[in-house]
Amino acid sequence: MHLNPYGTYAVLLAASLANDWPADRAGIEERTREFGMTMRFAVDAGDHAGVRTVIDEWLRVVDAEDPEHRAEILNRQMADAAAFPQLVNHDGEGWHLHYRDDRQSLPGVLRSVIPVGTALHLTTRGVTRLGRCGADPCTNVVVDVTRNGRQRYCSVRCANRAAVRRHRARS
């Protein structure tokens, strides 16, 4: 049963776009498919730049210093992108809720979906489960989806690099 279809995929999609920005609009739409969005988007010349703006605004949530500031930024983003929740049945998936208007542009949909998904992720998993990679100089976004809530690195490579640095510092 999907009670929270937006939380995980939307925040992971945002992190994926932030960490590996696609070269063009087609790459963004392909990434939305990889993370479970099935809808088609009308093409607009400003989509690539518009989605970049959405991701840059979302990175302010990632980089917020404390939970209150993070919530304030996220609440403002959700208010700015307010769309009525809608009960929909498309692509033969069965009835489910969308927190967006299906007539929105690609940036408009992501402006609605990503903040809601991030809010659901932070409220169901914990407000600290979003940040930047702990391995200097990496600045990738880390979305902690682990059971114990201790993921601090974006990859095994960065975790190993940090461990080697700690080991060398002790030696």
Side-chain angles (χ1 to χ4, degrees), residues 96-156:
H96 58 281
L97 276 176
H98 278 188
Y99 294 93
R100 57 177 163 73
D101 183 345
D102 286 336
R103 295 172 302 277
Q104 287 178 313
S105 64
L106 176 59
V109 168
L110 295 182
R111 180 170 275 115
S112 297
V113 169
I114 289 172
V116 169
T118 302
L120 289 168
H121 173 78
L122 296 176
T123 56
T124 58
R125 293 190 184 260
V127 74
T128 62
R129 289 186 171 228
L130 181 64
R132 297 285 185 160
C133 183
D136 193 41
C138 184
T139 60
N140 280 348
V141 174
V142 176
V143 178
D144 186 354
V145 294
T146 63
R147 290 182 88 171
N148 66 7
R150 296 178 190 230
Q151 185 176 347
R152 299 294 173 253
Y153 304 102
C154 68
S155 65
V156 172

Side-chain angles (χ1 to χ4, degrees), residues 27-48:
I28 296 169
E29 193 163 356
E30 181 180 321
R31 196 78 55 83
T32 65
R33 305 268 178 271
E34 289 173 20
F35 285 89
M37 293 182 81
T38 60
M39 69 182 289
R40 300 282 174 222
F41 303 96
V43 177
D44 184 271
D47 286 349
H48 192 257

Side-chain angles (χ1 to χ4, degrees), residues 74-82:
L74 197 51
N75 284 336
R76 196 171 322 116
Q77 288 178 3
M78 287 188 291
D80 290 346

Side-chain angles (χ1 to χ4, degrees), residues 47-106:
D47 286 349
H48 192 257
V51 173
R52 181 73 248 181
T53 299
V54 170
I55 297 303
D56 288 343
E57 290 170 1
W58 178 76
L59 287 171
R60 293 181 54 233
V61 175
V62 173
D63 294 332
E65 303 264 334
D66 59 72
E68 289 77 19
H69 189 229
R70 178 173 274 177
E72 178 184 318
I73 295 167
L74 197 51
N75 284 336
R76 196 171 322 116
Q77 288 178 3
M78 287 188 291
D80 290 346
F84 293 104
Q86 298 178 22
L87 190 61
V88 297
N89 182 14
H90 62 82
D91 299 334
E93 293 179 16
W95 291 100
H96 58 281
L97 276 176
H98 278 188
Y99 294 93
R100 57 177 163 73
D101 183 345
D102 286 336
R103 295 172 302 277
Q104 287 178 313
S105 64
L106 176 59

